[in-house]
Amino acid sequence: MSRTSLALAGAAVALAALTACSSTPAAAPAAPARDTAAACTQLVTLDAAAVTYPGADPSSPPPSAAAVKQWAATMAPPFGVVAANVPAELDPVVATLRTALDGAIGGTPLNSDDPALTSATTALDKWGHEGCGFTRLDVTGNGTDLPGVPATLPAGPLSISFDNGGNPTRAGFVLLLAKVKEGATYSLDGIRNGSADFESVADVVAAVQPTQGLAYGTAKLEKGRYLLVSPIGAPPAFPTTVASELTVS
């Protein structure tokens, strides 16, 4: 090799070393922007799927692994959108819910007595209640009626809060929002005293169950008649039921 070639090679090595030493590290790729509007939309879808959980009825046998897997498959797509787009401060909430959903995908039933899971669910729906701009329905149970229920509501997404003051045996164990089936007939007194079969006249679209006095949920309202029903007591004994009705137009 000629002296000229050696000189050029040396210069190239030196230049490469200098460049490596003086260059700044490449910046990490920016995180994708969060689309909170998409999170709000899919939160409603997520809550609608949650209502169909096969182990929701405390008086029923535990759900099979196959039933839990099938339910989890309906939850996974909307959860993915919600998880990726809620504000960053909800990431710990998302992590808790993801762990539970991953277990359900494998066939493990949800642990409804897990306070971390119920707190995470409450936090997510509370964010939707306060930040998504949905029509809001705030209900306080008192054991005799349901204050805060209007005669009418507009069609579209609805966010619900239910406050039982931490006393489900006197102010309501859960608040159920159900769409009355086409052609069904009933009386509110019949719903209240149990002489009318609530499940035969209406389909539940939202279930809001407080664990520490206040809980939240969402639903997509379509035009029609709706019942709001709150059993008083603790499963499996509900000696009293409070009921109201409204029209969505």
Side-chain angles (χ1 to χ4, degrees):
M1 179 179 288
S2 69
R3 292 183 179 180
T4 301
S5 297
L6 288 171
L8 291 173
V13 171
L15 179 61
L18 180 61
T19 303
C21 292
S22 62
S23 62
T24 57
R34 302 197 180 206
D35 186 348
T36 55
C40 288
T41 298
Q42 291 303 310
L43 177 62
V44 180
T45 304
L46 185 68
D47 282 353
V51 171
T52 66
Y53 179 65
D57 186 349
S59 64
S60 298
S64 67
V68 173
K69 288 180 180 180
Q70 185 177 11
W71 172 80
T74 67
M75 292 282 288
F79 177 77
V81 177
V82 171
N85 290 292
V86 291
E89 59 264 26
L90 288 176
D91 285 350
V93 168
V94 166
T96 298
L97 296 175
R98 191 187 302 280
T99 298
L101 182 57
D102 286 347
I105 290 172
T108 302
L110 299 181
N111 180 6
S112 59
D113 295 326
D114 181 0
L117 181 58
T118 54
S119 294
T121 302
T122 298
L124 188 61
D125 281 322
K126 181 181 180 182
W127 168 78
H129 193 70
E130 296 175 347
C132 285
F134 299 154
T135 299
R136 288 172 48 160
L137 175 61
D138 299 306
V139 181
T140 302
N142 60 18
T144 57
D145 57 12
L146 295 172
V149 178
T152 61
L153 282 173
L158 173 75
S159 183
I160 309 165
S161 73
F162 179 52
D163 186 354
N164 67 4
N167 195 341
T169 61
R170 291 190 178 183
F173 177 75
V174 64
L175 181 68
L176 302 174
L177 175 65
K179 189 176 188 296
V180 177
K181 298 178 181 179
E182 191 69 30
T185 59
Y186 64 92
S187 71
L188 279 180
D189 285 342
I191 299 294
R192 290 164 179 155
N193 63 30
S195 62
D197 183 5
F198 166 63
E199 293 183 358
S200 69
V201 301
D203 296 314
V204 174
V205 298
V208 183
Q209 182 180 348
T211 55
Q212 296 178 338
L214 185 61
Y216 305 86
T218 64
K220 183 178 180 180
L221 295 183
E222 299 177 349
K223 293 181 180 180
R225 292 182 298 158
Y226 286 77
L227 286 168
L228 278 156
V229 176
S230 181
I232 311 298
F238 296 107
T240 306
T241 297
V242 178
S244 186
E245 57 187 344
L246 59 86
T247 300
V248 172
S249 57

Short mmCIF file of all heavy atoms in Angstrom, two decimals, residues 72 79 95 97-108:
data_model
loop_
_atom_site.label_atom_id
_atom_site.label_comp_id
_atom_site.label_asym_id
_atom_site.label_seq_id
_atom_site.Cartn_x
_atom_site.Cartn_y
_atom_site.Cartn_z
N ALA A 72 -63.76 -12.25 27.55
CA ALA A 72 -62.53 -11.46 27.47
C ALA A 72 -62.21 -11.06 26.04
O ALA A 72 -61.67 -9.97 25.79
CB ALA A 72 -61.36 -12.24 28.07
N PHE A 79 -60.70 -2.28 25.07
CA PHE A 79 -59.73 -1.98 26.14
C PHE A 79 -58.42 -1.50 25.56
O PHE A 79 -57.78 -0.58 26.10
CB PHE A 79 -59.49 -3.20 27.02
CG PHE A 79 -58.45 -2.95 28.09
CD1 PHE A 79 -58.77 -2.22 29.22
CD2 PHE A 79 -57.15 -3.42 27.94
CE1 PHE A 79 -57.82 -1.95 30.19
CE2 PHE A 79 -56.19 -3.17 28.91
CZ PHE A 79 -56.52 -2.44 30.04
N ALA A 95 -52.79 -0.55 33.99
CA ALA A 95 -51.96 -1.72 34.29
C ALA A 95 -52.72 -2.73 35.15
O ALA A 95 -52.66 -3.94 34.92
CB ALA A 95 -50.67 -1.30 34.98
N LEU A 97 -56.02 -3.09 35.35
CA LEU A 97 -57.08 -3.69 34.55
C LEU A 97 -56.51 -4.65 33.50
O LEU A 97 -57.12 -5.69 33.21
CB LEU A 97 -57.89 -2.59 33.86
CG LEU A 97 -58.65 -1.66 34.80
CD1 LEU A 97 -59.31 -0.53 34.01
CD2 LEU A 97 -59.71 -2.42 35.59
N ARG A 98 -55.34 -4.33 32.96
CA ARG A 98 -54.72 -5.21 31.97
C ARG A 98 -54.38 -6.57 32.59
O ARG A 98 -54.55 -7.62 31.96
CB ARG A 98 -53.47 -4.56 31.39
CG ARG A 98 -52.93 -5.31 30.16
CD ARG A 98 -51.60 -4.72 29.71
NE ARG A 98 -51.69 -3.31 29.40
CZ ARG A 98 -52.16 -2.83 28.26
NH1 ARG A 98 -52.62 -3.66 27.34
NH2 ARG A 98 -52.18 -1.52 28.05
N THR A 99 -53.88 -6.54 33.81
CA THR A 99 -53.54 -7.80 34.49
C THR A 99 -54.78 -8.68 34.65
O THR A 99 -54.75 -9.89 34.40
CB THR A 99 -52.92 -7.51 35.87
OG1 THR A 99 -51.70 -6.79 35.69
CG2 THR A 99 -52.64 -8.79 36.62
N ALA A 100 -55.90 -8.06 35.05
CA ALA A 100 -57.15 -8.82 35.22
C ALA A 100 -57.65 -9.35 33.87
O ALA A 100 -58.10 -10.50 33.77
CB ALA A 100 -58.21 -7.94 35.87
N LEU A 101 -57.55 -8.52 32.83
CA LEU A 101 -58.03 -8.95 31.52
C LEU A 101 -57.13 -10.05 30.95
O LEU A 101 -57.64 -11.01 30.34
CB LEU A 101 -58.08 -7.76 30.56
CG LEU A 101 -58.62 -8.05 29.15
CD1 LEU A 101 -60.02 -8.65 29.22
CD2 LEU A 101 -58.62 -6.79 28.31
N ASP A 102 -55.83 -9.94 31.16
CA ASP A 102 -54.93 -11.00 30.70
C ASP A 102 -55.28 -12.33 31.36
O ASP A 102 -55.23 -13.39 30.72
CB ASP A 102 -53.47 -10.63 31.01
CG ASP A 102 -52.93 -9.55 30.08
OD1 ASP A 102 -53.59 -9.26 29.06
OD2 ASP A 102 -51.87 -8.99 30.38
N GLY A 103 -55.62 -12.27 32.64
CA GLY A 103 -56.03 -13.49 33.32
C GLY A 103 -57.31 -14.06 32.73
O GLY A 103 -57.45 -15.27 32.53
N ALA A 104 -58.27 -13.16 32.42
CA ALA A 104 -59.54 -13.61 31.84
C ALA A 104 -59.33 -14.20 30.45
O ALA A 104 -60.00 -15.17 30.07
CB ALA A 104 -60.52 -12.44 31.78
N ILE A 105 -58.40 -13.64 29.69
CA ILE A 105 -58.10 -14.19 28.36
C ILE A 105 -57.61 -15.63 28.49
O ILE A 105 -57.85 -16.47 27.63
CB ILE A 105 -57.06 -13.30 27.65
CG1 ILE A 105 -57.70 -11.96 27.26
CG2 ILE A 105 -56.47 -13.99 26.43
CD1 ILE A 105 -56.74 -10.93 26.73
N GLY A 106 -56.93 -15.93 29.62
CA GLY A 106 -56.48 -17.29 29.88
C GLY A 106 -57.52 -18.16 30.57
O GLY A 106 -57.25 -19.33 30.86
N GLY A 107 -58.71 -17.58 30.85
CA GLY A 107 -59.79 -18.37 31.45
C GLY A 107 -59.95 -18.19 32.94
O GLY A 107 -60.79 -18.86 33.55
N THR A 108 -59.19 -17.29 33.56
CA THR A 108 -59.29 -17.05 35.00
C THR A 108 -60.41 -16.06 35.30
O THR A 108 -60.38 -14.94 34.79
CB THR A 108 -57.97 -16.50 35.56
OG1 THR A 108 -56.91 -17.41 35.28
CG2 THR A 108 -58.08 -16.29 37.07
#
